[in-house]
Amino acid sequence: MIAVDNLTVRFGPVEAVGDVTFTVRAGESFGLVGESGSGKSTVLRAIAGLAATAEGRVLFDGAAVRAPRGKGFHKAVQMVFQDPYGSLHPRHTVDRILSEPAVIHGLPEVDRRVEAILAGVGLGPQFRFRFPHQLSGGQRQRVAIGRALMPEPTVLLLDEPTSSLDVSVQAEVLNLLQRIKAERGLTFILVSHNLAVVAHMCDRMAVMNRGRIVEQVTRAGLRQGRAAEPYTRQLLAASKGFDREFARELIDYA
């Protein structure tokens, strides 16, 4: 469904991502995991066409996609951003936020679609004409997910979709995403620094460090501690919680 082939992204003289290659099958959940600044969100933005590709290419359903991305690509591939408050227009109601993608893509029965999407993401009709500042963080992220679902995509790009939420709300949103994926047969690419989230959500994952993929591992392999690279093993150990002795032994894998 999605293939990234020798992708390189530069911001001026800085190479943010270098020679990244992976494939994602239809219906699969694929994770990109790594510490902050490892380049994982930049890869996601390059797939969406929000970051210019210096080298390499992105393929969707077997065909290379051009820059700028076409309308058909954006109907099929939608992105959910990390900060639901920053990604929602503060002066637009939930109704307008959800309606806009349907209008852009010429979809019929907009009112019915808005009502169905609100119900599908666990928000009642009373939320339809509220503004983002009148919603909690979890409710805003549900609206952002609903907006991404409005054009009926086949792929969702999820950029740390729960990192700005309270721990109690994170599980609700992750469960919502899993339910939506099962109901709609979606393909997910999930970016996170949280290995527990990736292991819960994804079938396979790529571990990134300093803009490059250092290892690809399956969910079963991660849970069984079968990581081959020292950096991955260090991330796995760090995800289990703070340990003073472990912190002293941390290595900076440049």
Side-chain angles (χ1 to χ4, degrees):
M1 181 62 71
I2 293 284
V4 175
D5 183 23
N6 298 315
L7 180 71
T8 297
V9 177
R10 297 188 182 94
F11 299 113
V14 178
E15 185 176 277
V17 170
D19 197 27
V20 165
T21 297
F22 62 87
T23 59
V24 185
R25 297 184 293 269
E28 185 178 23
S29 291
F30 186 85
L32 289 171
V33 65
E35 61 189 294
S36 296
S38 61
K40 54 193 187 298
S41 291
T42 301
V43 171
L44 213 63
R45 294 176 71 84
I47 294 172
L50 301 176
T53 300
E55 297 172 18
R57 57 182 184 159
V58 175
L59 294 91
F60 171 65
D61 202 16
V65 294
R66 58 182 175 82
R69 303 288 187 262
K71 192 173 180 179
F73 176 88
H74 286 301
K75 185 179 186 302
V77 181
Q78 284 284 309
M79 188 163 175
V80 177
F81 296 90
Q82 178 177 355
D83 177 12
Y85 194 76
S87 69
L88 301 178
H89 197 299
R91 295 188 179 182
H92 288 182
T93 62
V94 170
D95 177 74
R96 183 170 177 183
I97 289 168
L98 295 179
S99 298
E100 193 170 46
V103 173
I104 289 172
H105 292 285
L107 301 179
E109 300 181 306
V110 175
D111 283 348
R112 181 192 62 77
R113 289 174 183 273
V114 169
E115 291 172 359
I117 285 291
L118 280 173
V121 297
L123 297 175
Q126 69 271 24
F127 291 94
R128 183 169 178 177
F129 296 100
R130 293 184 186 178
F131 291 90
H133 72 271
Q134 296 174 310
L135 307 176
S136 69
Q139 290 166 349
R140 286 194 291 264
Q141 194 62 299
R142 287 173 185 267
V143 172
I145 292 168
R147 177 181 59 183
L149 294 173
M150 202 65 179
E152 300 180 351
T154 55
V155 178
L156 281 189
L157 308 176
L158 305 167
D159 187 8
E160 302 262 17
T162 61
S163 65
S164 64
L165 306 178
D166 293 339
V167 174
S168 59
V169 181
Q170 288 183 14
E172 295 177 7
V173 173
L174 291 175
N175 289 336
L176 169 65
L177 287 168
Q178 284 196 311
R179 176 175 62 78
I180 288 170
K181 180 180 184 297
E183 290 174 354
R184 295 173 176 254
L186 296 172
T187 302
F188 281 178
I189 303 181
L190 170 68
V191 159
S192 180
H193 65 274
N194 190 327
L195 272 173
V197 169
V198 174
H200 177 68
M201 293 287 292
C202 299
D203 309 302
R204 295 185 300 123
M205 64 212 70
V207 180
M208 293 193 65
N209 182 32
R210 305 294 175 96
R212 297 179 181 274
I213 291 178
V214 297
E215 182 174 8
Q216 293 195 37
V217 61
T218 64
R219 175 193 299 170
L222 187 68
R223 287 178 173 174
Q224 295 168 14
R226 294 203 308 261
E229 292 294 323
Y231 177 74
T232 308
R233 293 198 296 269
Q234 184 166 283
L235 275 181
L236 189 59
S239 70
K240 296 177 181 177
F242 177 75
D243 180 271
R244 192 178 301 276
E245 193 61 36
F246 169 73
R248 293 195 188 100
E249 298 173 357
L250 280 173
I251 299 171
D252 183 10
Y253 289 98

